[in-house]
Amino acid sequence: QKLIAEARSLLGKLMNRRENVQKELEKATEYRHPGKLKTVIISARSAQVNLQKIVTADNIRKRADELVDAMARAVGLEERADSLAAAAAFKIPKELLQEFEDQLEALQHLQKALGEGDPEELRRRIRRCDDTGVKHQE
């Protein structure tokens, strides 16, 4: 009797854990932050959450990673704008987009300063590009 009671208790704990992790997985899938998804997917596997839910979350994580990588590799105004638009359309979290939005804005201002020909403004804009991480080849 004692062993059966312990087994039932453990089973109840495992089922509660699975339910909690499944809720976490659903939230992380909706949030679409690749790092958070990766962590929750590992927990979901150990909690034996439904495999289809894990596969769906992992596919979303992979796509989110691809989009973040595309933003990091993007060079030039058009490529940067396109990669940001794709990431925003996929609903990548704002905090992951911010760095790339800042870089795009700095690059746009640099292009404008080049057209205006003011050396002091150009220096400021180059400095801003360096500060935000715009690639030197741009």
Side-chain angles (χ1 to χ4, degrees), residues 14-31:
L14 287 172
M15 305 244 335
N16 282 340
R17 181 170 185 273
R18 180 188 306 161
E19 187 177 314
N20 291 337
V21 171
Q22 184 171 319
K23 288 177 185 175
E24 267 187 74
L25 184 65
E26 289 167 1
K27 287 179 188 175
T29 299
E30 188 176 314
Y31 187 55

Side-chain angles (χ1 to χ4, degrees), residues 78-122:
E78 186 176 335
E79 195 174 325
R80 282 179 173 278
D82 290 348
S83 65
L84 267 167
F90 194 70
K91 298 182 179 143
I92 298 293
K94 181 74 173 162
E95 74 230 26
L96 293 178
L97 300 178
Q98 190 61 54
E99 172 187 354
F100 302 108
E101 288 172 344
D102 292 346
Q103 291 173 358
L104 177 60
E105 183 181 326
L107 192 56
Q108 288 169 332
H109 286 127
L110 177 61
Q111 291 290 327
K112 184 179 176 188
L114 282 168
E116 293 171 355
D118 178 1
E120 202 50 46
E121 181 66 15
L122 194 53

Side-chain angles (χ1 to χ4, degrees), residues 8 23 32-34 49 65 76 78 104 112-114 117 131-132:
R8 282 188 179 145
K23 288 177 185 175
R32 297 179 183 233
H33 188 295
V49 170
D65 269 337
E78 186 176 335
L104 177 60
K112 184 179 176 188
L114 282 168
D131 292 346
T132 60

Side-chain angles (χ1 to χ4, degrees), residues 6-68:
E6 285 181 35
R8 282 188 179 145
S9 173
L10 283 174
L11 182 59
K13 288 178 184 176
L14 287 172
M15 305 244 335
N16 282 340
R17 181 170 185 273
R18 180 188 306 161
E19 187 177 314
N20 291 337
V21 171
Q22 184 171 319
K23 288 177 185 175
E24 267 187 74
L25 184 65
E26 289 167 1
K27 287 179 188 175
T29 299
E30 188 176 314
Y31 187 55
R32 297 179 183 233
H33 188 295
K36 176 71 173 166
L37 269 167
K38 186 175 183 177
T39 303
V40 174
I41 288 168
I42 291 168
S43 295
R45 285 185 178 133
S46 72
Q48 298 178 345
V49 170
N50 178 292
L51 183 60
Q52 186 56 46
K53 291 182 182 195
I54 293 172
V55 168
T56 298
D58 199 38
N59 288 337
I60 289 171
R61 179 201 57 81
K62 288 175 185 173
R63 180 66 179 138
D65 269 337
E66 289 170 2
L67 290 167
V68 171

